[in-house]
């Protein structure tokens, strides 16, 4: 898929981790396809996760009563968001596909990646009212979560202690990505790499590389409750 | 319930917000009951959300391959976690009840509060293997999420665009709090305060204050899939 633009939002501290390898193999495979690939390496960037008044340059619309959502929305329209947010929004605007590569922390993304979502996906840029879900402003783009877990696949099944893995995907895939208009591809979940052998970890990386070869032909999931909670 | 200890983990930038009022009324009501109440005001503390090597003081167990979970676990046992984490763990250790007060960001907690969970609830302190869910190390404690939403209650119903509010509670209540052994009380959800009248917002605060009067008599929820996804 030569010419396609891919943004990888990557949240792991260790380049030699399985997350690092999964990110590296995605860069290699997609580049080989002729895609242009950009990586936002959040820990290396020391990306700011906290949503505060520092995100708004210039004067606040209501300095006496700080409402982050309202101020960020207005600052987006006035092009007065802080430069790190603007930079990420530009990358996102250009991208045809966004890959989120991260280890599952507490059934969700690590805080540094949560902060990327909280700050970058602001009203006016990623959505508005109207302008959410199928009409979200990032419509036409694809997104995929590629994550590693501490628990095994059986622990993340309907009868496992952690419940089905689809349960924890709801806030991320539906409440965030779908909300902003993304079409969501099925997640790539590498279960329990720390409990796996070196050979099994290599297979996890190879399996992701293999999937990426035909990723552009995949149909997105039907992102609604039955996919997540159906029998 | 004189003598009980309460920790309020509070994540809002604006003291005069509805979240600020809900926090204030909880401090007032619980203090009046004779409880001792501590507030961790995460934005005011400029609490660090990123899980990095800075959380480990002294030498890393494996400097050539940084594994946050492993290093934090070992540092906990050696009492060499960074002081801000130790401080929060002490407050949590003392608490009989923990109230999380926050606005819903992307169907979850704001990044600053996610970072509190990622960093404070480390292996060895909050859980271990074995030592999770009903055997989590914070067993005997109560927890409750008190949150505000952007959307209305009907948007967060089974047939609403956002799906049932219980869906997004799964990673927080089950995957985090229950995992660490907490008994979880039913959430206090103040729906759509920004779309509500001043009078309705006052009722939201009054209703929380009223509930707190008999909170100690409440039975925890049955924290398993049927509570979240049942018909």
């Amino acid at each position: 898929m030569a010419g396609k633009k891919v943004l990888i939002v990557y949240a792991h501290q260790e380049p030699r981790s399985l997350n690092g390898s999964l990110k590296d193999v995605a860069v290699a495979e997609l580049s080989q396809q002729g895609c242009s690939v950009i990586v936002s390496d959040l820990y290396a960037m020391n990306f700011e996760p906290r949503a505060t008044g520092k995100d708004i340059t210039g004067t606040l619309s209501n300095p006496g009563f700080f409402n982050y959502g309202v101020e960020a929305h207005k600052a987006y329209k006035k092009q007065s968001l802080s430069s790190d947010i603007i930079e990420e929004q530009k990358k996102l605007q250009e991208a045809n596909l966004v890959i989120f590569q991260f280890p599952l922390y507490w059934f969700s993304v690590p805080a540094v990646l949560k902060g990327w979502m909280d700050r970058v996906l602001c009203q006016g840029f990623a959505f508005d009212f109207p302008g959410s879900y199928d009409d979200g402003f990032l419509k036409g783009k694809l997104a995929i979560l590629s994550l590693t877990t501490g628990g095994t696949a059986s622990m993340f099944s309907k009868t496992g202690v952690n419940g089905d893995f689809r349960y924890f995907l709801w806030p991320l895939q539906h409440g965030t990505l779908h909300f902003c208009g993304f079409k969501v591809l099925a997640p790539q979940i590498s279960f329990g790499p720390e409990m796996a052998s070196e050979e099994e970890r290599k297979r996890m990386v190879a399996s992701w590389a293999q999937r990426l070869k035909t990723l552009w032909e995949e149909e997105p999931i039907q992102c609604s409750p039955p996919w997540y909670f159906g029998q």
Side-chain angles (χ1 to χ4, degrees), chain A:
Chain A
M1 292 299 286
K4 292 282 191 189
K5 293 184 176 174
V6 180
L7 171 61
I8 303 180
V9 186
Y10 165 68
H12 201 286
Q13 306 91 343
E14 171 57 55
R16 293 160 61 218
S17 62
L18 187 73
N19 274 272
S21 301
L22 293 165
K23 179 260 291 171
D24 288 343
V25 82
V27 172
E29 169 57 33
L30 293 164
S31 300
Q32 194 171 29
Q33 292 176 22
C35 303
S36 93
V37 185
I38 291 179
V39 177
S40 285
D41 182 343
L42 301 184
Y43 286 107
M45 294 155 75
N46 198 29
F47 190 80
E48 172 61 60
R50 291 161 287 213
T52 72
K54 290 182 190 162
D55 291 355
I56 288 89
T57 66
T59 52
L60 293 173
S61 108
N62 187 353
F65 188 102
F66 183 70
N67 180 318
Y68 184 80
V70 168
E71 296 289 350
H73 185 196
K74 294 191 175 178
Y76 172 74
K77 289 193 284 190
K78 290 196 302 180
Q79 301 184 289
S80 61
L81 284 169
S82 65
S83 58
D84 61 337
I85 296 178
I86 292 176
E87 201 57 40
E88 294 306 302
Q89 289 179 340
K90 278 186 192 154
K91 297 177 193 172
L92 197 41
Q93 196 66 72
E94 293 287 307
N96 302 109
L97 164 68
V98 183
I99 299 173
F100 295 90
Q101 180 64 56
F102 61 95
L104 196 69
Y105 278 19
W106 293 120
F107 284 35
S108 183
V109 293
V112 71
L113 177 49
K114 184 57 168 58
W116 187 95
M117 293 169 169
D118 290 352
R119 297 173 65 233
V120 175
L121 302 175
C122 75
Q123 187 173 354
F125 169 71
F127 69 92
D128 213 327
F129 303 107
S132 64
Y133 289 112
D134 292 349
D135 298 316
F137 292 176
L138 304 181
K139 69 185 164 197
K141 300 180 189 303
L142 294 170
I144 181 168
L145 303 180
S146 172
L147 61 108
T148 60
T149 66
T152 60
S154 70
M155 290 162 79
F156 282 105
S157 68
K158 274 212 164 25
T159 52
V161 279
N162 296 333
D164 198 273
F165 68 86
R166 295 188 180 202
Y167 298 164
F168 71 69
L169 293 171
W170 173 258
L172 298 168
Q173 293 189 165
H174 183 75
T176 311
L177 299 173
H178 185 188
F179 190 94
C180 295
F182 280 104
K183 291 286 186 191
V184 178
L185 299 178
Q188 180 75 15
I189 308 189
S190 304
F191 286 102
E194 291 189 40
M195 289 181 280
S197 66
E198 186 56 32
E199 183 145 337
E200 286 169 316
R201 278 194 293 275
K202 279 185 183 157
R203 270 202 297 274
M204 292 174 190
V205 176
S207 138
W208 177 222
Q210 188 60 35
R211 181 176 171 195
L212 286 165
K213 289 186 194 301
T214 52
L215 196 79
W216 301 100
E217 299 160 24
E218 289 187 19
E219 283 296 315
I221 66 162
Q222 290 292 328
C223 188
S224 64
W227 188 88
Y228 296 88
F229 315 116
Q231 299 312 310

